[in-house]
Amino acid sequence: MIHYPDGTPYKEPKTKQTYTKKGTEANRGMSLEDDINKSNEYYRENDICLITKRPTPINVVKVDYSKGARITDAYFEKESTTDYNGVYKGRYIDFETKNTKSKTSFPFANIPEHQIDHLTRVLRHGGIAFFIIEFQSLDEVYLIDASLIIERYNSRERKSLSYQEIKEKGLIIERSYNPPLKYIDAVNKLYFAE
């Protein structure tokens, strides 16, 4: 069992669920994170950018060596920040991936406050910060600038961001064979368009 430093047990977030792509049996069960990881591998191999998955800091307390090395007790050293970070065209990039089964909105309950704080700091220091949000039931993935979500999250006027606003203010990410999610195309349009 993995625990946070205060002793509370860690529960896997419900936002990281698998999805089924419509019309293709070969890709059933792939998660959004898997698609991002494969896209990052493609971008790295083709020297387009260097974006990596940020590891979650875990402190191992007990290991069972009777059947190979198996962690039996551990805790998180601190709260993780966001899922991915790296560099593209000389700029620091930091982003979080989220998904929802809702067809009408993305609930802010899916975003811990420490992630909002972290992305706010990234923006303050001149980095590029965004969210990649998947609407599972619609089979659509969007890139949304973090400043929009941070503004709405902090205003506390609503508990979610509507699908319509995400569709209007975000950029849809095209799916392809390789890379599975062409999110760098959306980054180019939003942050590097001339």
Side-chain angles (χ1 to χ4, degrees), residues 29-86:
M30 286 182 70
S31 71
L32 174 61
E33 233 175 68
D34 288 339
D35 283 347
I36 296 290
N37 292 340
K38 288 176 182 172
S39 297
N40 287 341
E41 186 177 324
Y42 170 86
Y43 292 139
R44 185 174 44 257
E45 286 174 359
N46 289 281
D47 203 26
I48 295 167
C49 65
L50 180 61
I51 308 290
T52 57
K53 173 113 175 77
R54 184 174 289 157
T56 304
I58 295 177
N59 191 351
V60 177
V61 176
K62 191 191 288 185
V63 178
D64 178 6
Y65 292 101
S66 64
K67 296 179 182 171
R70 182 173 171 233
I71 298 171
T72 57
D73 193 13
Y75 64 89
F76 288 110
E77 291 177 3
K78 58 183 178 177
E79 293 175 323
S80 63
T81 51
T82 51
D83 290 333
Y84 296 93
N85 69 338

Side-chain angles (χ1 to χ4, degrees), residues 165-185:
E165 187 169 13
I166 289 172
K167 191 173 178 176
E168 289 169 6
K169 298 194 176 170
L171 294 169
I172 194 153
I173 298 175
E174 182 185 338
R175 292 188 188 272
S176 70
Y177 174 72
N178 208 9
L181 284 173
K182 298 170 82 174
Y183 75 89
I184 287 296
D185 290 355

Side-chain angles (χ1 to χ4, degrees), residues 50-142:
L50 180 61
I51 308 290
T52 57
K53 173 113 175 77
R54 184 174 289 157
T56 304
I58 295 177
N59 191 351
V60 177
V61 176
K62 191 191 288 185
V63 178
D64 178 6
Y65 292 101
S66 64
K67 296 179 182 171
R70 182 173 171 233
I71 298 171
T72 57
D73 193 13
Y75 64 89
F76 288 110
E77 291 177 3
K78 58 183 178 177
E79 293 175 323
S80 63
T81 51
T82 51
D83 290 333
Y84 296 93
N85 69 338
V87 108
Y88 177 58
K89 292 187 176 182
R91 297 278 309 274
Y92 176 75
I93 289 182
D94 202 306
F95 66 95
E96 177 66 17
T97 59
K98 300 287 184 187
N99 58 37
T100 181
K101 289 184 177 181
S102 172
K103 293 180 180 181
T104 59
S105 66
F106 173 73
F108 291 143
N110 288 356
I111 308 172
E113 193 166 341
H114 69 271
Q115 288 180 339
I116 294 291
D117 294 341
H118 174 76
L119 291 171
T120 300
R121 291 172 201 267
V122 169
L123 292 170
R124 190 175 325 136
H125 289 281
I128 293 172
F130 55 87
F131 284 83
I132 291 180
I133 300 175
E134 176 187 38
F135 284 86
Q136 290 177 300
S137 53
L138 301 172
D139 194 29
E140 293 178 356
V141 181
Y142 290 88

